[in-house]
Amino acid sequence: MIPTPHIGATSKDQIANTVLMPGDPKRAKFIADNFLENVEQFTDVRGMLGFTGTYKGKRVSVMGSGMGIPSAMIYYHELFAFYDVKTIIRVGTAGGLQPHLKVRDVIVATAANTASSVVKGKFGEIQFSPTPTFELLLKTHEKAEELGIKAHFGPVFSSDEFYRKWTNGEIDNLIKYNTLGVEMEAAGLFMSALENGKQALCICTVSDNAEEEESAETREKAYTDMMKLALEVAPK
């Protein structure tokens, strides 16, 4: 089934083995315009822009996922199942939870806690927190040190609701147990990769915390440490 209902690429060859996926399609275009060479656009279905090019001779694609697990998992599944993509790296934003995290710090998710139905109910009484691919985590840790990028490694919370007010101490407990940030897609990505036998990684930039918040334009264009790190560790 190519093209799929949500991705306009007419052949598997139009999309690289590794796809970087920000939530914002404009951030996908920014990455393509500023980091990739020989760029070709492979989709604009529903405004979700996707591009393929080369980074230091390595073929890489970048495509938006939209906000939230339900939207993103449509694209994750279609890329893994129909276009034979081997690796997806989320490059997104997160709200910082720990007091030592500053705006523009980089978070690399080691697991994704969530209340989403994507996990809930699948394992009975077991509380399953999906994880990324260990080899990619290790490579990211090594590359961050090599590039001098301050990256924090730890679990994130993938929330289905951006504006939900948690009132029973859930967020306090997440902080107590060293959850680094709140975002909206990692759990869906990790579950999709595990279900399809593929690789996944989530790298986020802290866009806000209790004291600071950055503009939409800044979120779109300024988080280049995260982008460089993802491109450097992207498998061929």
Side-chain angles (χ1 to χ4, degrees):
M1 187 176 65
I2 294 177
T4 64
H6 307 96
I7 300 173
T10 55
S11 75
K12 296 177 182 179
D13 292 341
Q14 289 180 273
I15 303 176
N17 288 331
T18 296
V19 183
L20 272 60
M21 297 195 75
D24 184 355
K26 289 185 177 180
R27 191 183 306 135
K29 187 176 189 304
F30 178 85
I31 294 170
D33 288 346
N34 290 274
F35 291 95
L36 302 185
E37 298 179 335
N38 305 312
V39 175
E40 294 184 3
Q41 183 171 327
F42 64 81
T43 191
D44 63 356
V45 176
R46 298 186 177 220
M48 202 56 70
L49 306 176
F51 307 88
T52 297
T54 57
Y55 175 78
K56 297 183 178 180
K58 176 172 58 179
R59 196 161 180 263
V60 180
S61 294
V62 57
M63 177 183 167
S65 71
M67 292 185 287
I69 289 171
S71 168
M73 282 195 77
I74 292 172
Y75 299 110
Y76 300 153
H77 180 78
E78 290 186 6
L79 289 168
F80 283 144
F82 298 106
Y83 289 98
D84 292 341
V85 167
K86 294 180 172 60
T87 304
I88 294 176
I89 301 176
R90 167 162 156 70
V91 282
T93 57
L97 289 179
Q98 297 297 328
H100 65 275
L101 290 173
K102 308 299 182 186
V103 167
R104 301 203 187 185
D105 278 2
V106 173
I107 292 173
V108 183
T110 58
N113 304 310
T114 188
S116 171
S117 62
V118 70
V119 172
K120 189 164 52 180
K122 287 184 171 66
F123 303 94
E125 295 182 16
I126 297 170
Q127 301 298 311
F128 180 75
S129 292
T131 57
T133 304
F134 176 76
E135 290 79 6
L136 286 177
L137 275 179
L138 183 61
K139 186 177 180 181
T140 304
H141 188 273
E142 293 170 348
K143 184 59 67 172
E145 289 192 339
E146 179 186 320
L147 296 175
I149 295 173
K150 186 176 182 180
H152 306 268
F153 288 72
V156 297
F157 171 49
S158 297
S159 176
D160 273 342
E161 300 175 67
F162 187 85
Y163 288 110
R164 178 168 178 174
K165 302 296 183 183
W166 298 87
T167 58
N168 294 316
E170 297 93 341
I171 299 299
D172 289 340
N173 279 332
L174 287 173
I175 294 170
K176 178 181 177 181
Y177 287 91
N178 201 39
T179 300
L180 297 182
V182 181
E183 55 82 65
M184 298 187 71
E185 289 83 34
L189 172 57
F190 297 164
M191 286 294 287
S192 187
L194 289 166
E195 288 168 358
N196 287 280
K198 302 300 180 77
Q199 297 191 116
L201 182 70
C202 173
I203 306 175
C204 288
T205 301
V206 177
S207 59
D208 59 272
N209 56 26
E211 299 176 352
E212 302 175 80
E213 183 174 354
E214 299 210 295
S215 69
E217 183 177 5
T218 298
R219 295 180 189 213
E220 175 188 330
K221 298 178 179 178
Y223 300 154
T224 54
D225 279 352
M226 167 183 67
M227 300 170 190
K228 290 175 185 174
L229 187 56
L231 287 164
E232 287 288 335
V233 302
K236 293 182 179 179

